Amino acid sequence: MQEPQLLSQQNGAVRTLTLNRPAALNAFTSGLLAELREALDAAAGDASVRCVVITGAGRAFCAGQDLSDPMVNPDLKPGESPKDIGALLDGFYIPLAQRVRSMPVPVIAAVNGVAAGAGANLALGCDLVLAGNSASFIQAFAKIGLVPDCGGSWLLPRLVGRAKALQLALLGEKLPAAEAQAIGLICKAVPDEELAASAQALAQKISQMPVRAMAQTRMAFDEAGLLDFDDALRLEAVTQSQLGFSADYLEGAAAFLQKRAPKFSDR
């Protein structure tokens, strides 16, 4: 019986999705991309889920696109035209990247090994990125004549600035986890043996917090990057107006005044 390409496990209010093609370093196929997006859709629609963790099985997080996948395989038969990689992006990568950035709950990437190409950018599109000390990030696109995708062209300059983003994208050099933390690309690097527990502890902590406001914070940051200062101020006002009527705000304010621990429930 064939192993599933994606594993899903729930611990309390935390759902962990594990890319499960360890022999292929969890490289993406169109099937795995579709399964991951469907799993995120399911988590988004499940009120019991208040945080999602994405990680990889074995010694890698994700090595990027599997070039043996029929949608991109460059090994052409006589008379066969090259594959339209843009069709793969339109059908699979764009919906996946959009799903991650629109999740109603925070998403954590637990990078347990190499994260290359689209695998790196999937991780960077998450709200918080933890990585094992032996993990690395590689923008491998230029080495095969392509540009960063899965949101990489948008994410990299915003995370580390244009100069560093171009260095990473043009040279395609391996970036160790510790350096990724130092330049602000990821949240934190931890010892390999502590990664899974650290990611779960962080996810459990987040699941007890006002996750609706946290998701709105991500969305406000993303939108504010495209706005001028005055429009960003107005966006803050609109968002605060919405959240000010929420059960979480009323509970949080009441708990603060009553000097007790809050119990958040909005999503």
Side-chain angles (χ1 to χ4, degrees):
M1 184 174 178
Q2 188 174 6
E3 280 281 314
Q5 294 188 107
L6 184 72
L7 305 176
S8 179
Q9 181 179 13
Q10 185 141 342
N11 181 13
V14 176
R15 184 163 298 177
T16 299
L17 303 177
T18 304
L19 307 179
N20 190 40
R21 300 186 69 224
L25 302 182
N26 301 315
F28 284 130
T29 61
S30 54
L32 178 55
L33 288 164
E35 286 188 39
L36 179 56
R37 189 183 79 240
E38 290 166 4
L40 289 169
D41 285 343
D46 188 337
S48 73
V49 178
R50 295 180 61 82
C51 188
V52 171
V53 176
I54 301 175
T55 191
R59 60 190 180 92
F61 177 75
C62 176
Q65 175 63 39
D66 188 333
L67 295 181
S68 69
D69 185 278
M71 290 196 71
V72 297
N73 191 337
D75 187 14
L76 302 177
K77 298 176 182 178
E80 188 177 14
S81 299
K83 307 293 171 54
D84 182 0
I85 300 176
L88 177 68
L89 268 62
D90 285 337
F92 296 91
Y93 280 107
I94 291 175
L96 175 60
Q98 290 173 331
R99 174 73 278 181
V100 170
R101 296 300 276 196
S102 64
M103 287 292 287
V105 299
V107 182
I108 297 171
V111 180
N112 54 302
V114 65
N121 294 334
L122 168 70
L124 298 179
C126 295
D127 298 309
L128 296 170
V129 185
L130 301 184
N133 284 334
S134 68
S136 58
F137 298 81
I138 310 171
Q139 294 294 323
F141 303 94
K143 294 184 176 181
I144 57 172
L146 297 175
V147 301
D149 60 25
C150 201
S153 64
W154 191 91
L155 291 163
L156 287 169
R158 285 166 172 79
L159 289 169
V160 296
R162 184 176 187 273
K164 191 65 178 181
L166 281 170
Q167 178 188 344
L168 294 172
L170 298 183
L171 300 182
E173 296 174 338
K174 182 183 293 187
L175 183 73
E179 188 176 345
Q181 177 185 337
I183 65 174
L185 190 71
I186 67 171
C187 175
K188 189 176 183 181
V190 300
D192 291 343
E193 64 274 14
E194 298 176 13
L195 176 63
S198 295
Q200 286 296 316
L202 179 59
Q204 293 293 340
K205 177 180 179 180
I206 286 175
S207 73
Q208 302 301 313
M209 297 173 72
V211 297
R212 179 182 174 191
M214 298 171 85
Q216 288 290 333
T217 298
R218 173 225 299 145
M219 295 176 189
F221 278 15
D222 286 351
E223 289 189 41
L226 307 175
L227 302 175
D228 63 26
F229 185 62
D230 288 345
D231 286 339
L233 289 171
R234 294 187 186 97
L235 174 62
E236 291 173 357
V238 170
T239 306
Q240 295 294 56
S241 179
Q242 295 169 347
L243 293 174
F245 290 103
S246 70
D248 275 358
Y249 169 70
L250 298 176
E251 165 64 10
F256 178 81
L257 293 172
Q258 296 165 15
K259 296 180 171 54
R260 61 173 174 82
K263 294 183 179 179
F264 297 112
S265 58
D266 279 339
R267 187 177 176 280

